[in-house]
Amino acid sequence: MKLIVAVVQDQDSNRLSNALTKAKFRATKLASTGGFLRSGNTTFLIGTDDALVASALELIRDNCRAREQMVAPVSPMGGNADSYIPYPVEVEVGGATVFVLPIEQFHHF
């Protein structure tokens, strides 16, 4: 058994949730916030058999895409103002950060 922890951008959340449901994967969705951009994310917890991990990863890859976004920087709070960039910058957001962990037991009651 494996536990797949997938952190995806909120924009991709519904598309991934629908794809997982259609493929008969059970997933728990948790609201989360990214530390770097402080933007909304959704964390999916997916328990599955070892043989189905590749299928789940393919669904995640197909439904979570990276995109470019302009982001206004957060002003330094008590930090060094020398590294502060006072204008919006373009960064890559989206995609998915995925962890696959071994689990000893998986129960669904």
Coordinates of all heavy atoms in Angstrom, one line a residue:
M1 N 0.8 -1.2 0.0 CA 0.0 0.0 0.0 C 0.9 1.2 0.0 O 2.0 1.2 0.6 CB -0.9 0.0 1.2 CG -1.9 -1.1 1.4 SD -3.2 -1.1 0.1 CE -4.0 0.5 0.4
K2 N 0.4 2.3 -0.6 CA 1.0 3.6 -0.7 C 0.1 4.7 -0.3 O -1.1 4.6 -0.6 CB 1.6 3.8 -2.1 CG 2.6 2.8 -2.6 CD 3.9 3.0 -1.9 CE 5.0 2.1 -2.5 NZ 5.8 1.4 -1.6
L3 N 0.6 5.7 0.2 CA -0.1 7.0 0.4 C 0.5 8.0 -0.5 O 1.7 8.3 -0.4 CB 0.0 7.5 1.9 CG -0.6 8.8 2.2 CD1 -2.1 8.8 1.9 CD2 -0.3 9.3 3.6
I4 N -0.3 8.5 -1.4 CA 0.1 9.6 -2.3 C -0.4 10.9 -1.7 O -1.6 11.1 -1.5 CB -0.4 9.4 -3.7 CG1 0.0 8.0 -4.3 CG2 0.0 10.5 -4.6 CD1 -0.6 7.7 -5.6
V5 N 0.6 11.8 -1.5 CA 0.2 13.2 -1.0 C 0.5 14.1 -2.2 O 1.7 14.3 -2.6 CB 1.0 13.6 0.2 CG1 0.7 15.0 0.7 CG2 0.8 12.5 1.3
A6 N -0.5 14.7 -2.8 CA -0.3 15.6 -3.9 C -0.8 17.0 -3.6 O -1.9 17.2 -3.2 CB -1.1 15.1 -5.1
V7 N 0.1 18.0 -3.6 CA -0.2 19.4 -3.4 C -0.3 20.0 -4.7 O 0.6 20.1 -5.5 CB 0.9 20.1 -2.5 CG1 0.5 21.5 -2.3 CG2 1.2 19.3 -1.2
V8 N -1.5 20.5 -5.0 CA -1.8 21.1 -6.3 C -2.4 22.5 -6.1 O -3.0 22.8 -5.1 CB -2.8 20.2 -7.2 CG1 -2.3 18.8 -7.3 CG2 -4.2 20.2 -6.5
Q9 N -2.3 23.3 -7.2 CA -2.8 24.7 -7.1 C -4.4 24.6 -7.2 O -4.9 23.7 -7.8 CB -2.3 25.5 -8.3 CG -2.6 27.0 -8.1 CD -2.0 27.8 -9.2 OE1 -1.9 27.4 -10.3 NE2 -1.7 29.0 -8.9
D10 N -5.1 25.5 -6.5 CA -6.5 25.5 -6.4 C -7.2 25.4 -7.8 O -8.2 24.8 -8.0 CB -7.1 26.7 -5.6 CG -7.0 26.4 -4.1 OD1 -6.8 25.3 -3.7 OD2 -7.1 27.4 -3.4
Q11 N -6.5 26.1 -8.8 CA -7.1 26.1 -10.1 C -7.2 24.7 -10.8 O -8.0 24.5 -11.6 CB -6.3 27.0 -11.1 CG -6.4 28.5 -10.8 CD -5.5 29.3 -11.7 OE1 -4.3 29.4 -11.4 NE2 -6.1 29.8 -12.7
D12 N -6.3 23.8 -10.3 CA -6.3 22.4 -10.9 C -7.1 21.5 -10.0 O -7.3 20.3 -10.4 CB -4.9 21.9 -11.0 CG -4.1 22.8 -12.0 OD1 -4.7 23.2 -13.0 OD2 -2.9 23.0 -11.7
S13 N -7.6 21.9 -8.9 CA -8.2 21.0 -7.9 C -9.4 20.3 -8.4 O -9.5 19.1 -8.2 CB -8.5 21.8 -6.6 OG -9.2 21.0 -5.7
N14 N -10.4 21.0 -8.9 CA -11.6 20.4 -9.3 C -11.4 19.4 -10.5 O -12.0 18.3 -10.5 CB -12.7 21.4 -9.7 CG -13.2 22.1 -8.5 OD1 -13.3 21.5 -7.4 ND2 -13.7 23.3 -8.7
R15 N -10.5 19.8 -11.4 CA -10.2 18.9 -12.6 C -9.6 17.6 -12.1 O -10.0 16.5 -12.5 CB -9.3 19.6 -13.6 CG -9.1 18.9 -14.8 CD -8.3 19.7 -15.9 NE -7.2 20.4 -15.4 CZ -7.1 21.7 -15.3 NH1 -8.1 22.5 -15.6 NH2 -6.0 22.3 -14.8
L16 N -8.6 17.7 -11.2 CA -8.0 16.5 -10.6 C -9.0 15.7 -9.8 O -9.0 14.4 -10.0 CB -6.8 16.8 -9.8 CG -6.1 15.7 -9.1 CD1 -5.6 14.7 -10.2 CD2 -4.9 16.1 -8.3
S17 N -9.8 16.3 -9.0 CA -10.8 15.6 -8.2 C -11.7 14.8 -9.1 O -12.0 13.6 -8.8 CB -11.5 16.6 -7.3 OG -12.5 15.9 -6.5
N18 N -12.2 15.4 -10.1 CA -13.1 14.7 -11.0 C -12.4 13.5 -11.7 O -13.0 12.4 -11.9 CB -13.7 15.7 -12.1 CG -14.6 16.7 -11.5 OD1 -15.2 16.5 -10.4 ND2 -14.7 17.8 -12.2
A19 N -11.2 13.7 -12.1 CA -10.4 12.6 -12.8 C -10.2 11.5 -11.8 O -10.3 10.3 -12.2 CB -9.1 13.2 -13.3
L20 N -9.8 11.8 -10.6 CA -9.6 10.7 -9.6 C -10.9 9.9 -9.3 O -10.9 8.7 -9.2 CB -9.1 11.3 -8.3 CG -7.6 11.8 -8.4 CD1 -7.3 12.6 -7.1 CD2 -6.6 10.7 -8.5
T21 N -12.0 10.7 -9.2 CA -13.3 10.0 -8.9 C -13.7 9.1 -10.1 O -14.1 8.0 -9.9 CB -14.4 11.1 -8.7 OG1 -14.0 11.8 -7.6 CG2 -15.7 10.4 -8.4
K22 N -13.5 9.6 -11.3 CA -13.9 8.8 -12.5 C -13.0 7.5 -12.6 O -13.5 6.5 -13.1 CB -13.7 9.7 -13.8 CG -14.1 9.0 -15.0 CD -14.0 10.0 -16.2 CE -14.4 9.3 -17.5 NZ -14.2 10.2 -18.7
A23 N -11.8 7.6 -12.2 CA -10.9 6.5 -12.2 C -11.0 5.6 -11.0 O -10.3 4.6 -10.8 CB -9.5 6.9 -12.4
K24 N -12.0 5.9 -10.1 CA -12.3 5.1 -8.9 C -11.3 5.2 -7.8 O -11.1 4.2 -7.0 CB -12.6 3.6 -9.3 CG -13.6 3.4 -10.3 CD -15.0 3.4 -9.8 CE -16.0 2.9 -10.7 NZ -16.9 3.9 -11.3
F25 N -10.5 6.3 -7.8 CA -9.6 6.5 -6.7 C -10.3 7.2 -5.6 O -11.1 8.2 -5.9 CB -8.4 7.3 -7.1 CG -7.3 6.6 -7.9 CD1 -7.3 6.7 -9.3 CD2 -6.4 5.8 -7.2 CE1 -6.3 6.0 -10.0 CE2 -5.5 5.1 -8.0 CZ -5.4 5.2 -9.3
R26 N -10.1 6.8 -4.4 CA -10.7 7.6 -3.2 C -9.6 8.6 -2.7 O -8.5 8.2 -2.6 CB -11.0 6.6 -2.1 CG -12.2 5.7 -2.4 CD -12.4 4.7 -1.3 NE -13.5 3.8 -1.6 CZ -14.7 3.9 -1.1 NH1 -15.0 4.9 -0.4 NH2 -15.6 3.0 -1.5
A27 N -10.1 9.8 -2.6 CA -9.1 10.8 -2.1 C -9.8 11.7 -1.1 O -11.0 12.0 -1.2 CB -8.7 11.6 -3.4
T28 N -9.0 12.2 -0.2 CA -9.4 13.2 0.7 C -8.7 14.5 0.3 O -7.5 14.6 0.1 CB -9.0 12.8 2.2 OG1 -9.6 11.6 2.5 CG2 -9.3 13.9 3.2
K29 N -9.5 15.6 0.2 CA -9.0 16.9 -0.1 C -8.9 17.8 1.1 O -9.8 17.9 1.9 CB -10.0 17.6 -1.1 CG -10.1 17.0 -2.5 CD -11.2 17.6 -3.3 CE -11.2 19.1 -3.4 NZ -12.1 19.7 -4.4
L30 N -7.7 18.4 1.2 CA -7.5 19.3 2.4 C -7.1 20.7 1.8 O -6.3 20.8 0.9 CB -6.3 18.8 3.2 CG -6.5 17.4 3.8 CD1 -5.1 17.0 4.4 CD2 -7.6 17.4 4.8
A31 N -7.7 21.8 2.3 CA -7.3 23.1 1.9 C -5.9 23.4 2.6 O -5.6 23.1 3.7 CB -8.3 24.1 2.4
S32 N -5.0 23.9 1.8 CA -3.7 24.3 2.3 C -3.2 25.6 1.6 O -3.8 26.0 0.7 CB -2.7 23.1 2.0 OG -2.7 22.8 0.6
T33 N -2.1 26.1 2.2 CA -1.6 27.4 1.7 C -0.1 27.2 1.4 O 0.6 26.7 2.3 CB -1.8 28.5 2.7 OG1 -3.2 28.6 3.0 CG2 -1.3 29.8 2.2
G34 N 0.3 27.7 0.3 CA 1.8 27.6 -0.1 C 2.6 28.6 0.7 O 2.1 29.7 1.0
G35 N 3.8 28.2 1.1 CA 4.6 29.1 1.9 C 5.3 30.2 1.1 O 5.5 31.2 1.6
F36 N 5.6 29.9 -0.1 CA 6.4 30.9 -0.9 C 5.5 32.0 -1.4 O 5.7 33.2 -1.1 CB 7.1 30.2 -2.1 CG 7.8 31.1 -3.0 CD1 8.9 31.9 -2.5 CD2 7.5 31.3 -4.3 CE1 9.5 32.8 -3.3 CE2 8.1 32.1 -5.1 CZ 9.2 32.9 -4.6
L37 N 4.4 31.7 -2.1 CA 3.5 32.7 -2.7 C 2.3 32.9 -1.8 O 1.5 33.8 -2.1 CB 3.0 32.2 -4.1 CG 4.1 32.1 -5.1 CD1 3.5 31.5 -6.4 CD2 4.8 33.4 -5.4
R38 N 2.2 32.2 -0.7 CA 1.0 32.3 0.2 C -0.3 32.2 -0.6 O -1.2 33.0 -0.3 CB 1.1 33.6 1.0 CG 2.3 33.5 2.0 CD 2.5 34.8 2.7 NE 3.4 34.8 3.8 CZ 4.8 34.7 3.6 NH1 5.2 34.5 2.4 NH2 5.6 34.7 4.6
S39 N -0.4 31.4 -1.6 CA -1.6 31.2 -2.4 C -2.3 29.9 -2.0 O -1.7 29.0 -1.4 CB -1.3 31.3 -3.9 OG -0.4 30.2 -4.2
G40 N -3.5 29.8 -2.4 CA -4.3 28.6 -2.1 C -3.9 27.4 -2.8 O -3.6 27.4 -4.0
N41 N -3.8 26.3 -2.1 CA -3.5 25.0 -2.7 C -4.5 24.0 -2.2 O -5.3 24.3 -1.2 CB -2.1 24.5 -2.2 CG -1.0 25.3 -2.8 OD1 -1.1 25.8 -3.9 ND2 0.0 25.5 -2.0
T42 N -4.6 22.9 -2.8 CA -5.4 21.8 -2.3 C -4.4 20.6 -2.1 O -3.6 20.3 -3.1 CB -6.5 21.4 -3.2 OG1 -7.3 22.5 -3.4 CG2 -7.3 20.2 -2.7
T43 N -4.4 19.9 -1.0 CA -3.6 18.7 -0.8 C -4.5 17.5 -0.8 O -5.5 17.4 -0.1 CB -2.9 18.8 0.6 OG1 -2.1 20.0 0.6 CG2 -2.1 17.6 0.8
F44 N -4.2 16.6 -1.7 CA -5.0 15.3 -1.9 C -4.2 14.2 -1.1 O -3.0 14.1 -1.3 CB -5.1 14.9 -3.3 CG -6.0 15.8 -4.1 CD1 -5.6 17.0 -4.7 CD2 -7.3 15.4 -4.3 CE1 -6.5 17.8 -5.4 CE2 -8.2 16.2 -5.0 CZ -7.8 17.4 -5.6
L45 N -4.9 13.5 -0.3 CA -4.4 12.2 0.3 C -5.1 11.1 -0.4 O -6.3 10.9 -0.4 CB -4.7 12.2 1.8 CG -4.2 13.4 2.6 CD1 -4.7 13.2 4.1 CD2 -2.7 13.5 2.5
I46 N -4.3 10.2 -1.0 CA -4.8 9.1 -1.8 C -4.1 7.8 -1.4 O -2.9 7.7 -1.5 CB -4.5 9.3 -3.3 CG1 -5.0 10.7 -3.8 CG2 -5.1 8.2 -4.2 CD1 -4.3 11.2 -5.1
G47 N -4.9 6.9 -0.8 CA -4.4 5.6 -0.4 C -4.7 4.6 -1.5 O -5.8 4.6 -2.0
T48 N -3.7 3.9 -2.0 CA -3.9 3.0 -3.1 C -2.9 1.8 -3.0 O -1.9 1.8 -2.3 CB -3.8 3.7 -4.4 OG1 -4.2 2.9 -5.5 CG2 -2.3 4.2 -4.7
D49 N -3.2 0.8 -3.8 CA -2.3 -0.4 -3.9 C -1.1 0.0 -4.7 O -1.2 0.9 -5.6 CB -3.0 -1.5 -4.7 CG -4.1 -2.1 -3.8 OD1 -3.9 -2.3 -2.6 OD2 -5.2 -2.4 -4.4
D50 N 0.0 -0.7 -4.5 CA 1.2 -0.4 -5.2 C 1.1 -0.4 -6.7 O 1.7 0.4 -7.4 CB 2.3 -1.4 -4.8 CG 2.8 -1.2 -3.3 OD1 2.4 -0.3 -2.7 OD2 3.5 -2.1 -2.8
A51 N 0.3 -1.3 -7.2 CA 0.1 -1.5 -8.6 C -0.6 -0.3 -9.3 O -0.5 -0.2 -10.5 CB -0.7 -2.8 -8.9
L52 N -1.3 0.5 -8.5 CA -2.1 1.6 -9.1 C -1.4 2.9 -8.9 O -1.9 3.9 -9.4 CB -3.5 1.6 -8.4 CG -4.4 0.4 -8.7 CD1 -5.7 0.5 -7.9 CD2 -4.6 0.3 -10.2
V53 N -0.2 3.0 -8.3 CA 0.5 4.2 -8.1 C 0.8 4.9 -9.4 O 0.6 6.1 -9.6 CB 1.8 4.0 -7.3 CG1 2.6 5.3 -7.3 CG2 1.4 3.6 -5.9
A54 N 1.3 4.2 -10.4 CA 1.6 4.8 -11.7 C 0.4 5.4 -12.4 O 0.4 6.5 -13.0 CB 2.2 3.7 -12.7
S55 N -0.8 4.7 -12.3 CA -2.0 5.3 -12.8 C -2.4 6.6 -12.1 O -2.8 7.6 -12.8 CB -3.2 4.3 -12.7 OG -2.9 3.1 -13.4
A56 N -2.3 6.6 -10.8 CA -2.6 7.8 -10.1 C -1.7 9.0 -10.4 O -2.1 10.1 -10.6 CB -2.6 7.5 -8.6
L57 N -0.4 8.7 -10.5 CA 0.6 9.7 -10.9 C 0.3 10.3 -12.3 O 0.5 11.4 -12.5 CB 2.0 9.2 -10.8 CG 2.5 8.8 -9.4 CD1 3.9 8.2 -9.4 CD2 2.5 10.1 -8.5
E58 N -0.1 9.4 -13.2 CA -0.5 9.8 -14.6 C -1.7 10.8 -14.5 O -1.6 11.8 -15.2 CB -0.7 8.6 -15.4 CG -1.0 9.0 -16.9 CD -1.2 7.8 -17.8 OE1 -0.9 6.7 -17.4 OE2 -1.7 8.0 -18.9
L59 N -2.7 10.5 -13.7 CA -3.8 11.4 -13.6 C -3.4 12.7 -13.0 O -3.9 13.8 -13.5 CB -4.9 10.7 -12.7 CG -5.7 9.6 -13.3 CD1 -6.6 9.0 -12.2 CD2 -6.5 10.1 -14.5
I60 N -2.5 12.7 -12.1 CA -2.1 14.0 -11.5 C -1.3 14.8 -12.5 O -1.5 16.0 -12.7 CB -1.2 13.7 -10.2 CG1 -2.1 13.1 -9.1 CG2 -0.6 15.0 -9.7 CD1 -1.3 12.5 -8.0
R61 N -0.4 14.1 -13.2 CA 0.4 14.8 -14.2 C -0.5 15.4 -15.3 O -0.3 16.5 -15.8 CB 1.4 13.8 -14.9 CG 2.4 14.4 -15.8 CD 3.4 13.4 -16.4 NE 4.1 12.7 -15.4 CZ 3.9 11.3 -15.1 NH1 3.0 10.6 -15.8 NH2 4.6 10.8 -14.1
D62 N -1.5 14.6 -15.8 CA -2.4 15.1 -16.9 C -3.3 16.2 -16.5 O -3.8 17.0 -17.3 CB -3.2 13.9 -17.4 CG -2.4 12.9 -18.1 OD1 -1.2 13.2 -18.5 OD2 -2.9 11.8 -18.3
N63 N -3.6 16.4 -15.2 CA -4.6 17.3 -14.7 C -4.1 18.5 -14.0 O -4.8 19.4 -13.6 CB -5.7 16.6 -13.9 CG -6.5 15.8 -14.8 OD1 -7.4 16.2 -15.4 ND2 -6.3 14.5 -14.8
C64 N -2.8 18.6 -13.7 CA -2.2 19.7 -13.0 C -1.1 20.3 -13.8 O 0.0 19.6 -14.0 CB -1.6 19.2 -11.7 SG -2.9 18.5 -10.6
R65 N -1.3 21.4 -14.4 CA -0.3 22.0 -15.3 C 0.4 23.2 -14.7 O -0.3 24.0 -13.9 CB -0.9 22.3 -16.6 CG -2.0 23.4 -16.6 CD -2.6 23.6 -18.0 NE -3.7 24.6 -17.9 CZ -3.5 25.9 -17.8 NH1 -2.3 26.4 -17.8 NH2 -4.5 26.7 -17.7
A66 N 1.6 23.4 -15.0 CA 2.3 24.6 -14.6 C 2.0 25.8 -15.5 O 1.6 25.6 -16.6 CB 3.8 24.4 -14.6
R67 N 2.0 27.0 -14.9 CA 1.6 28.2 -15.7 C 2.4 29.4 -15.2 O 2.9 29.3 -14.0 CB 0.1 28.5 -15.7 CG -0.4 28.7 -14.3 CD -1.9 28.8 -14.2 NE -2.7 27.6 -14.5 CZ -2.8 26.6 -13.6 NH1 -2.3 26.6 -12.5 NH2 -3.5 25.5 -14.0
E68 N 2.6 30.4 -16.0 CA 3.3 31.6 -15.6 C 2.3 32.6 -15.0 O 1.2 32.7 -15.5 CB 4.0 32.2 -16.7 CG 5.1 31.4 -17.4 CD 6.3 31.1 -16.5 OE1 6.7 32.1 -15.8 OE2 6.8 30.0 -16.5
Q69 N 2.7 33.3 -13.9 CA 1.8 34.2 -13.2 C 2.6 35.4 -12.7 O 3.7 35.2 -12.2 CB 1.0 33.5 -12.1 CG 0.1 34.4 -11.3 CD -0.6 33.5 -10.3 OE1 -1.0 32.4 -10.5 NE2 -0.8 34.1 -9.1
M70 N 2.0 36.6 -12.9 CA 2.7 37.8 -12.3 C 2.3 37.8 -10.8 O 1.1 37.7 -10.4 CB 2.2 39.0 -13.0 CG 2.6 39.1 -14.4 SD 4.4 39.1 -14.6 CE 4.8 40.8 -14.1
V71 N 3.3 38.0 -10.0 CA 3.1 38.0 -8.5 C 3.7 39.3 -7.9 O 4.8 39.6 -8.2 CB 3.7 36.8 -7.9 CG1 3.6 36.8 -6.4 CG2 3.1 35.5 -8.4
A72 N 2.9 40.0 -7.1 CA 3.4 41.1 -6.4 C 4.2 40.6 -5.2 O 3.7 39.8 -4.4 CB 2.2 42.0 -5.9
P73 N 5.4 41.1 -5.0 CA 6.2 40.6 -3.9 C 5.6 41.0 -2.5 O 5.0 42.1 -2.4 CB 7.6 41.2 -4.1 CG 7.3 42.4 -5.0 CD 6.1 42.1 -5.8
V74 N 5.9 40.3 -1.5 CA 5.5 40.6 -0.2 C 6.6 41.5 0.4 O 7.8 41.2 0.3 CB 5.3 39.3 0.7 CG1 5.0 39.7 2.1 CG2 4.3 38.4 0.0
S75 N 6.2 42.6 1.0 CA 7.3 43.5 1.6 C 8.0 42.8 2.7 O 7.4 42.1 3.5 CB 6.6 44.8 2.0 OG 5.7 44.6 3.0
P76 N 9.2 43.1 2.9 CA 10.0 42.5 4.0 C 9.5 43.0 5.4 O 9.3 44.2 5.6 CB 11.4 43.0 3.8 CG 11.3 44.2 3.0 CD 10.0 44.1 2.2
M77 N 9.2 42.1 6.3 CA 8.8 42.5 7.6 C 9.9 42.2 8.6 O 10.1 41.1 9.0 CB 7.5 41.6 8.0 CG 6.4 41.8 7.1 SD 5.5 43.3 7.3 CE 4.7 42.9 8.8
G78 N 10.6 43.3 8.9 CA 11.7 43.1 9.9 C 12.9 42.5 9.2 O 13.9 42.2 9.9
G79 N 12.9 42.2 7.9 CA 14.0 41.5 7.3 C 14.9 42.6 6.6 O 14.7 43.8 6.8
N80 N 15.8 42.1 5.8 CA 16.7 43.0 5.1 C 16.0 43.5 3.9 O 15.6 42.8 3.0 CB 17.9 42.1 4.7 CG 19.0 43.0 4.1 OD1 18.8 44.2 3.8 ND2 20.1 42.4 3.8
A81 N 15.9 44.8 3.8 CA 15.2 45.5 2.7 C 16.1 45.5 1.4 O 15.6 45.8 0.4 CB 14.8 46.9 3.1
D82 N 17.3 45.2 1.6 CA 18.2 45.1 0.4 C 17.8 44.1 -0.6 O 18.0 44.3 -1.8 CB 19.7 44.9 0.8 CG 20.2 46.0 1.7 OD1 19.7 47.1 1.6 OD2 21.2 45.7 2.4
S83 N 17.2 43.0 -0.2 CA 16.8 41.9 -1.1 C 15.3 42.1 -1.6 O 14.8 41.3 -2.3 CB 16.9 40.6 -0.4 OG 16.1 40.5 0.7
Y84 N 14.6 43.1 -1.2 CA 13.2 43.4 -1.5 C 13.1 43.9 -3.0 O 13.8 44.8 -3.4 CB 12.6 44.4 -0.6 CG 11.2 44.7 -1.0 CD1 10.2 43.8 -0.9 CD2 10.9 46.0 -1.4 CE1 8.9 44.2 -1.2 CE2 9.6 46.4 -1.7 CZ 8.6 45.4 -1.6 OH 7.3 45.8 -2.0
I85 N 12.3 43.2 -3.8 CA 12.0 43.6 -5.2 C 10.7 44.4 -5.2 O 9.7 43.8 -4.9 CB 12.0 42.4 -6.1 CG1 13.3 41.7 -6.0 CG2 11.7 42.9 -7.5 CD1 13.3 40.3 -6.7
P86 N 10.7 45.7 -5.5 CA 9.4 46.5 -5.3 C 8.5 46.4 -6.5 O 7.5 47.2 -6.6 CB 10.0 47.9 -5.2 CG 11.2 47.9 -6.0 CD 11.8 46.5 -5.8
Y87 N 8.7 45.5 -7.4 CA 7.8 45.4 -8.6 C 7.4 43.9 -8.8 O 8.0 43.0 -8.4 CB 8.5 46.0 -9.8 CG 9.9 45.4 -10.1 CD1 10.0 44.2 -10.7 CD2 11.0 46.0 -9.6 CE1 11.3 43.6 -10.9 CE2 12.2 45.5 -9.8 CZ 12.4 44.3 -10.5 OH 13.6 43.8 -10.6
P88 N 6.2 43.7 -9.5 CA 5.8 42.4 -9.7 C 6.8 41.6 -10.6 O 7.4 42.1 -11.4 CB 4.4 42.5 -10.5 CG 4.0 43.9 -10.2 CD 5.3 44.7 -10.0
V89 N 6.8 40.3 -10.3 CA 7.7 39.4 -11.0 C 6.9 38.2 -11.6 O 5.9 37.9 -11.0 CB 8.9 38.9 -10.2 CG1 9.8 40.0 -9.8 CG2 8.4 38.2 -8.9
E90 N 7.4 37.6 -12.7 CA 6.7 36.5 -13.2 C 7.3 35.2 -12.7 O 8.5 35.1 -12.7 CB 6.8 36.5 -14.8 CG 5.9 35.5 -15.4 CD 5.9 35.7 -17.0 OE1 7.0 35.7 -17.6 OE2 4.8 35.7 -17.5
V91 N 6.5 34.3 -12.1 CA 7.0 33.1 -11.6 C 6.1 31.9 -12.1 O 5.0 32.1 -12.6 CB 6.9 33.1 -10.0 CG1 7.8 34.1 -9.4 CG2 5.5 33.3 -9.5
E92 N 6.7 30.7 -12.1 CA 5.9 29.6 -12.5 C 5.1 29.0 -11.3 O 5.7 28.9 -10.2 CB 6.9 28.5 -13.0 CG 6.2 27.3 -13.5 CD 7.1 26.2 -14.1 OE1 7.7 26.5 -15.1 OE2 7.3 25.2 -13.4
V93 N 3.8 28.8 -11.5 CA 3.0 28.3 -10.5 C 2.2 27.1 -11.0 O 2.3 26.9 -12.2 CB 1.9 29.4 -10.0 CG1 2.6 30.5 -9.3 CG2 1.1 29.8 -11.1
G94 N 1.6 26.4 -10.2 CA 0.8 25.2 -10.6 C 1.6 24.0 -10.7 O 2.7 23.9 -10.0
G95 N 1.2 23.0 -11.5 CA 1.8 21.7 -11.5 C 1.4 21.0 -10.2 O 0.4 21.3 -9.6
A96 N 2.2 20.1 -9.8 CA 1.9 19.3 -8.6 C 3.2 18.9 -7.9 O 4.2 18.6 -8.6 CB 1.1 18.1 -8.9
T97 N 3.2 19.0 -6.6 CA 4.3 18.4 -5.8 C 3.7 17.1 -5.2 O 2.7 17.2 -4.5 CB 4.7 19.4 -4.7 OG1 5.1 20.6 -5.3 CG2 5.9 18.8 -3.9
V98 N 4.3 16.0 -5.4 CA 3.8 14.7 -5.1 C 4.8 13.9 -4.2 O 5.9 13.8 -4.6 CB 3.4 13.9 -6.3 CG1 2.7 12.6 -5.9 CG2 2.4 14.7 -7.2
F99 N 4.3 13.3 -3.1 CA 5.0 12.5 -2.3 C 4.4 11.1 -2.3 O 3.1 11.0 -2.2 CB 5.1 13.0 -0.8 CG 5.7 14.3 -0.7 CD1 4.8 15.4 -0.8 CD2 7.0 14.6 -0.6 CE1 5.3 16.7 -0.7 CE2 7.5 15.8 -0.5 CZ 6.7 16.9 -0.5
V100 N 5.1 10.0 -2.5 CA 4.6 8.7 -2.4 C 5.2 8.0 -1.2 O 6.5 7.8 -1.2 CB 4.8 7.9 -3.7 CG1 4.3 6.5 -3.6 CG2 4.3 8.6 -4.9
L101 N 4.4 7.6 -0.3 CA 4.9 7.1 1.0 C 4.4 5.7 1.2 O 3.2 5.4 0.9 CB 4.4 7.9 2.2 CG 4.7 9.4 2.1 CD1 3.9 10.2 3.1 CD2 6.2 9.7 2.2
P102 N 5.3 4.8 1.7 CA 4.8 3.5 2.1 C 3.9 3.5 3.3 O 4.2 4.3 4.2 CB 6.1 2.7 2.3 CG 7.1 3.7 2.8 CD 6.7 5.0 2.0
I103 N 2.8 2.8 3.3 CA 2.0 2.7 4.5 C 1.9 1.3 5.0 O 1.8 0.3 4.1 CB 0.6 3.4 4.3 CG1 -0.1 2.8 3.2 CG2 0.8 4.9 4.2 CD1 -1.5 3.3 3.1
E104 N 1.8 1.1 6.3 CA 1.7 -0.3 6.8 C 0.2 -0.8 6.7 O 0.0 -2.0 6.4 CB 2.1 -0.3 8.2 CG 2.5 -1.6 8.8 CD 3.2 -1.5 10.1 OE1 4.2 -0.9 10.1 OE2 2.7 -2.1 11.1
Q105 N -0.7 0.1 7.0 CA -2.1 -0.4 6.9 C -3.0 0.7 6.4 O -2.7 1.9 6.5 CB -2.6 -0.7 8.4 CG -2.0 -1.8 9.0 CD -2.6 -2.1 10.4 OE1 -3.5 -1.5 10.8 NE2 -2.0 -3.1 11.1
F106 N -4.1 0.3 5.7 CA -5.1 1.3 5.2 C -6.4 0.7 5.5 O -6.7 -0.4 5.1 CB -4.8 1.4 3.7 CG -5.8 2.2 2.9 CD1 -5.8 3.6 3.1 CD2 -6.8 1.7 2.2 CE1 -6.7 4.4 2.4 CE2 -7.8 2.5 1.5 CZ -7.7 3.8 1.6
H107 N -7.3 1.5 6.2 CA -8.6 1.0 6.5 C -9.6 2.0 6.1 O -9.4 3.2 6.1 CB -8.7 0.9 8.1 CG -7.8 -0.1 8.7 ND1 -8.0 -1.4 8.7 CD2 -6.6 0.1 9.3 CE1 -6.9 -2.0 9.3 NE2 -6.1 -1.1 9.7
H108 N -10.7 1.5 5.6 CA -11.9 2.4 5.2 C -13.1 1.8 5.9 O -13.5 0.7 5.6 CB -12.0 2.4 3.7 CG -13.1 3.2 3.2 ND1 -14.3 2.8 2.8 CD2 -13.2 4.6 3.1 CE1 -15.1 3.8 2.5 NE2 -14.4 4.9 2.7
F109 N -13.7 2.5 6.8 CA -14.8 2.0 7.5 C -16.1 2.7 7.1 O -16.1 3.9 6.7 CB -14.6 2.3 9.0 CG -13.4 1.6 9.6 CD1 -12.3 2.4 10.0 CD2 -13.4 0.2 9.7 CE1 -11.2 1.8 10.5 CE2 -12.2 -0.4 10.3 CZ -11.1 0.4 10.6

